[in-house]
Amino acid sequence: MRSEQQEQTHLQILQTLLNQSKNSDVPPCDYDLPSNVTELSFLMVTLKSINLGVFMSMAEAADGPVAILLSSIASVDAKHIALLGEYSHRNASGQSFDTPATPAWAYNFALEYARPGSCSVQLPLPILPKLTMNKKTSGYVSPGTNVSVEWDAAARFAVDQVGDRLFVAWVNQVAQPIFTTLALFDENSGSTMVPTGLSGTAFAVLTTQPKLTSITDLTAATLAGPVVVSS
């Protein structure tokens, strides 16, 4: 119950910030969530990790008081992740840093669970084609092993337009993105190796630009994704 109260407090504070900056609040969508307790607890940890990552990215661009507020919310989110991990008997993560995310990545991941037609407002963010890893948009991976990667028809069209070699970009902790090559099976799928140094939560996206160093630039160059993985 305390976590729910903290969430409501955060929501009220963020709504106040939006109003003060002359921006409109965004009505909530309706979501279809897993009924299986294990799957639901994993999804909640995943969503919390994305939430935390977005606040990290937003804090970087915010002014002093707002940056402190966003960093404080991210800190509480980290505590919630630890509580959820304890509830689900997950081993504590060995990662030294949390992983930043962009609003566009968070928005597209959340849309995966939104009921069609339930979002009355579409945010001014790009709608990205779907990407899966081992048939899922989130899940566990083992560093140093191969995973299957698939993308939908919209991503295939984007790939055809670009016509370049494909890569999976991995964003993990505060390091620069890591790029792994894709061995193509066909025009919609391939395989790649999970980076050996991956630890904790990471975001994986499809791209043709393997020299990007910031997640802002990588988001603009994302052809499909993200997939949220834990290791």
Side-chain angles (χ1 to χ4, degrees):
M1 180 62 71
R2 182 175 298 174
S3 296
E4 183 179 351
Q5 292 171 343
Q6 290 170 334
E7 289 279 5
Q8 289 299 318
T9 299
H10 294 167
L11 179 60
Q12 291 167 3
I13 290 294
L14 293 172
Q15 288 172 332
T16 299
L17 285 177
L18 283 172
N19 292 332
Q20 288 176 346
S21 61
K22 309 301 181 183
N23 290 299
S24 300
D25 189 17
V26 179
C29 304
D30 296 326
Y31 295 93
D32 287 322
L33 302 177
S35 57
N36 178 281
V37 174
T38 301
E39 292 180 4
L40 180 60
S41 62
F42 181 83
L43 176 60
M44 296 309 295
V45 170
T46 301
L47 291 170
K48 275 289 180 182
S49 298
I50 297 174
N51 206 43
L52 187 160
V54 170
F55 284 130
M56 288 175 62
S57 297
M58 292 174 64
E60 181 181 10
D63 58 24
V66 175
I68 292 172
L69 173 64
L70 296 175
S71 298
S72 181
I73 294 175
S75 176
V76 175
D77 277 342
K79 295 181 177 70
H80 291 172
I81 292 171
L83 286 172
L84 286 165
E86 183 177 341
Y87 173 79
S88 58
H89 305 292
R90 293 178 61 189
N91 294 329
S93 172
Q95 68 188 88
S96 300
F97 303 96
D98 288 308
T99 303
T102 60
W105 288 353
Y107 183 50
N108 279 271
F109 185 83
L111 285 178
E112 179 72 20
Y113 298 91
R115 292 177 184 167
S118 71
C119 300
S120 58
V121 174
Q122 182 174 321
L123 299 182
L125 294 169
I127 304 297
L128 298 170
K130 183 178 179 180
L131 185 71
T132 62
M133 197 165 285
N134 292 339
K135 304 291 185 181
K136 297 181 178 180
T137 56
S138 64
Y140 291 104
V141 295
S142 297
T145 63
N146 285 326
V147 291
S148 62
V149 183
E150 296 181 59
W151 48 95
D152 64 15
R156 184 181 67 190
F157 177 79
V159 169
D160 289 342
Q161 295 300 304
V162 175
D164 291 330
R165 191 177 182 188
L166 289 173
F167 299 85
V168 174
W170 307 79
V171 175
N172 184 221
Q173 303 189 54
V174 293
Q176 291 183 357
I178 300 171
F179 298 87
T180 57
T181 55
L182 264 174
L184 294 179
F185 297 147
D186 53 40
E187 58 188 1
N188 286 97
S189 64
S191 69
T192 194
M193 180 176 287
V194 180
T196 55
L198 214 67
S199 177
T201 298
F203 306 107
V205 298
L206 189 69
T207 187
T208 59
Q209 300 186 38
K211 296 183 179 180
L212 300 176
T213 58
S214 77
I215 64 170
T216 300
D217 292 339
L218 180 57
T219 299
T222 295
L223 298 178
V227 176
V228 186
V229 299
S230 297
S231 59

